[in-house]
Amino acid sequence: MDESTLPHGYAVTTSGRVSGVHEAGDVFKEAPFNDSERLLMDNTLTEATRTTKVRFNIYIGDLGADTAAGADAVFPATPEAARSVLIAVSPNDKAVEVRSGRDVADRVSDQVLQLGLTAALSSLRQGKLVDGLVSAVRVMAASIGRPS
């Protein structure tokens, strides 16, 4: 695709996907995911949260040059951060960061977070973002289990 023909604020990523900025206050002309992808992600997050009583949040966007610091900055502003898991994806950097809140630290260990990332990697490497995120959430939720 010829980038010179794209609207202002759009670019072709290294994977070949066209990515564009959304100006604050503007309505999206085209959603970044189709209806079935959004429904799958919503159902996965809802089921994982209901089962584990741990809130699962996903952030997709630029995390900055230091993606770890970017995830650290995003995490406190996510819903119910203290009792949640955040999966933050910076697609252009090909980076994924995970964080968990202090109220669930006894149930959401680094090992649980690593299992989720490992489950996601194959799909993410193939450019299947939603599939990778769904895999990560499902594996983490299965590892966390129901609260006692």
Side-chain angles (χ1 to χ4, degrees):
M1 170 164 275
D2 181 10
E3 287 193 46
S4 67
T5 62
L6 296 174
H8 176 73
Y10 283 72
V12 177
T13 65
T14 55
S15 68
R17 182 179 55 82
V18 175
S19 179
V21 297
H22 174 78
E23 298 294 332
D26 285 351
V27 175
F28 279 112
K29 294 174 184 69
E30 185 177 319
F33 303 108
N34 65 40
D35 290 344
S36 63
E37 290 172 324
R38 287 194 308 268
L39 185 60
L40 174 62
M41 194 76 258
D42 184 59
N43 288 340
T44 301
L45 292 169
T46 300
E47 181 63 26
T49 298
R50 283 182 183 158
T51 301
T52 63
K53 304 300 184 221
V54 172
R55 173 72 180 251
F56 283 83
N57 295 302
I58 292 178
Y59 172 88
I60 302 170
D62 184 26
L63 293 171
D66 181 349
T67 57
D72 289 341
V74 167
F75 184 59
T78 60
E80 303 178 73
R83 64 170 211 88
S84 75
V85 168
L86 169 66
I87 303 171
V89 181
S90 187
N92 291 337
D93 298 313
K94 296 184 180 178
V96 181
E97 298 282 344
V98 290
R99 300 292 183 271
S100 62
R102 68 180 175 278
D103 292 354
V104 295
D106 59 326
R107 298 177 57 219
V108 185
S109 65
D110 289 344
Q111 183 180 9
V112 168
L113 298 176
Q114 185 60 50
L115 285 170
L117 285 178
T118 301
L121 285 179
S122 177
S123 293
L124 293 175
R125 286 183 179 138
Q126 295 173 31
K128 298 177 181 176
L129 181 61
V130 172
D131 290 346
L133 293 171
V134 165
S135 295
V137 170
R138 286 179 176 164
V139 167
M140 286 181 200
S143 298
I144 294 167
R146 296 186 181 276
S148 19

